[in-house]
Short mmCIF file of all heavy atoms in Angstrom, two decimals:
data_model
loop_
_atom_site.label_atom_id
_atom_site.label_comp_id
_atom_site.label_asym_id
_atom_site.label_seq_id
_atom_site.Cartn_x
_atom_site.Cartn_y
_atom_site.Cartn_z
N LEU A 1000 15.33 84.94 5.97
CA LEU A 1000 16.07 83.67 5.95
C LEU A 1000 15.20 82.51 6.43
O LEU A 1000 15.30 81.40 5.92
CB LEU A 1000 17.33 83.79 6.82
CG LEU A 1000 18.47 84.63 6.25
CD1 LEU A 1000 19.61 84.73 7.25
CD2 LEU A 1000 18.98 84.03 4.94
N SER A 1139 -1.88 74.14 -13.57
CA SER A 1139 -3.07 74.88 -14.02
C SER A 1139 -4.04 75.08 -12.87
O SER A 1139 -4.17 74.22 -11.99
CB SER A 1139 -3.77 74.13 -15.15
OG SER A 1139 -2.86 73.86 -16.21
N LEU A 1161 14.00 67.92 -10.63
CA LEU A 1161 12.71 67.38 -11.05
C LEU A 1161 12.80 66.78 -12.44
O LEU A 1161 12.29 65.67 -12.69
CB LEU A 1161 11.65 68.47 -11.01
CG LEU A 1161 10.22 68.05 -11.31
CD1 LEU A 1161 9.76 66.97 -10.32
CD2 LEU A 1161 9.29 69.25 -11.25
N SER A 1163 15.43 65.59 -13.89
CA SER A 1163 16.25 64.37 -13.82
C SER A 1163 15.45 63.21 -13.25
O SER A 1163 15.56 62.07 -13.72
CB SER A 1163 17.49 64.62 -12.95
OG SER A 1163 18.33 65.59 -13.55
N LEU A 1177 10.92 46.99 -21.89
CA LEU A 1177 11.83 46.20 -22.72
C LEU A 1177 12.09 44.85 -22.09
O LEU A 1177 12.11 43.81 -22.78
CB LEU A 1177 13.16 46.96 -22.91
CG LEU A 1177 14.24 46.24 -23.74
CD1 LEU A 1177 13.73 45.95 -25.15
CD2 LEU A 1177 15.51 47.07 -23.79
N LEU A 1179 10.04 43.26 -20.10
CA LEU A 1179 8.83 42.46 -20.28
C LEU A 1179 8.78 41.83 -21.66
O LEU A 1179 8.42 40.65 -21.81
CB LEU A 1179 7.59 43.34 -20.09
CG LEU A 1179 7.13 43.62 -18.66
CD1 LEU A 1179 5.85 44.45 -18.69
CD2 LEU A 1179 6.88 42.34 -17.89
N TYR A 1194 6.69 22.92 -26.84
CA TYR A 1194 5.39 22.47 -27.35
C TYR A 1194 5.37 22.42 -28.88
O TYR A 1194 6.04 23.19 -29.56
CB TYR A 1194 4.29 23.41 -26.86
CG TYR A 1194 4.16 23.43 -25.36
CD1 TYR A 1194 4.70 24.48 -24.62
CD2 TYR A 1194 3.54 22.39 -24.68
CE1 TYR A 1194 4.61 24.49 -23.24
CE2 TYR A 1194 3.44 22.39 -23.31
CZ TYR A 1194 3.97 23.44 -22.59
OH TYR A 1194 3.90 23.45 -21.21
N LEU A 1280 3.10 6.94 -19.71
CA LEU A 1280 2.31 6.71 -18.49
C LEU A 1280 3.20 6.10 -17.41
O LEU A 1280 3.33 4.88 -17.30
CB LEU A 1280 1.15 5.76 -18.79
CG LEU A 1280 0.16 6.20 -19.89
CD1 LEU A 1280 -0.75 5.05 -20.27
CD2 LEU A 1280 -0.63 7.41 -19.42
N ILE A 1285 -0.01 -2.63 -17.08
CA ILE A 1285 -0.43 -2.86 -18.46
C ILE A 1285 -1.93 -2.80 -18.65
O ILE A 1285 -2.42 -2.25 -19.64
CB ILE A 1285 0.16 -4.19 -18.99
CG1 ILE A 1285 0.01 -4.25 -20.51
CG2 ILE A 1285 -0.47 -5.38 -18.29
CD1 ILE A 1285 0.83 -5.34 -21.14
N ILE A 1295 -8.78 6.18 -25.80
CA ILE A 1295 -8.29 7.10 -26.83
C ILE A 1295 -8.81 6.67 -28.20
O ILE A 1295 -9.29 7.49 -29.00
CB ILE A 1295 -6.75 7.14 -26.81
CG1 ILE A 1295 -6.26 7.82 -25.52
CG2 ILE A 1295 -6.22 7.88 -28.04
CD1 ILE A 1295 -4.75 7.72 -25.31
N GLU A 1305 -15.20 12.91 -40.88
CA GLU A 1305 -15.39 12.18 -42.14
C GLU A 1305 -14.05 11.86 -42.82
O GLU A 1305 -13.16 12.70 -42.89
CB GLU A 1305 -16.25 13.01 -43.09
CG GLU A 1305 -16.56 12.32 -44.41
CD GLU A 1305 -17.32 13.21 -45.37
OE1 GLU A 1305 -16.65 14.04 -46.05
OE2 GLU A 1305 -18.55 13.11 -45.42
N ASN A 1311 -10.90 1.24 -44.09
CA ASN A 1311 -11.57 0.37 -43.13
C ASN A 1311 -12.70 1.06 -42.36
O ASN A 1311 -13.31 0.45 -41.49
CB ASN A 1311 -10.56 -0.23 -42.14
CG ASN A 1311 -9.93 0.83 -41.26
OD1 ASN A 1311 -9.96 2.00 -41.60
ND2 ASN A 1311 -9.35 0.42 -40.14
N VAL A 1314 -14.85 7.22 -41.11
CA VAL A 1314 -14.41 8.32 -40.24
C VAL A 1314 -12.94 8.13 -39.91
O VAL A 1314 -12.36 7.05 -40.11
CB VAL A 1314 -15.24 8.38 -38.94
CG1 VAL A 1314 -16.69 8.72 -39.23
CG2 VAL A 1314 -15.11 7.09 -38.15
N VAL A 1315 -12.33 9.18 -39.36
CA VAL A 1315 -10.92 9.10 -38.96
C VAL A 1315 -10.79 8.17 -37.76
O VAL A 1315 -11.54 8.27 -36.79
CB VAL A 1315 -10.38 10.50 -38.61
CG1 VAL A 1315 -9.00 10.41 -37.97
CG2 VAL A 1315 -10.31 11.38 -39.86
N PRO A 1332 15.99 3.52 -22.37
CA PRO A 1332 14.66 3.96 -22.79
C PRO A 1332 14.33 3.66 -24.25
O PRO A 1332 13.14 3.58 -24.60
CB PRO A 1332 14.69 5.47 -22.52
CG PRO A 1332 15.73 5.65 -21.48
CD PRO A 1332 16.77 4.62 -21.76
N ILE A 1335 11.87 0.65 -24.83
CA ILE A 1335 10.42 0.76 -24.69
C ILE A 1335 9.81 1.43 -25.93
O ILE A 1335 8.71 1.08 -26.36
CB ILE A 1335 10.03 1.52 -23.38
CG1 ILE A 1335 8.54 1.28 -23.08
CG2 ILE A 1335 10.34 3.00 -23.48
CD1 ILE A 1335 8.11 1.77 -21.71
N GLY A 1350 -4.98 -4.62 -39.49
CA GLY A 1350 -6.33 -4.16 -39.84
C GLY A 1350 -6.63 -2.73 -39.43
O GLY A 1350 -7.66 -2.17 -39.80
#
Side-chain angles (χ1 to χ4, degrees):
L1000 287 176
S1139 305
L1161 185 58
S1163 295
L1177 178 60
L1179 279 183
Y1194 299 101
L1280 303 168
I1285 193 167
I1295 292 171
E1305 182 185 82
N1311 65 341
V1314 295
V1315 171
I1335 195 170

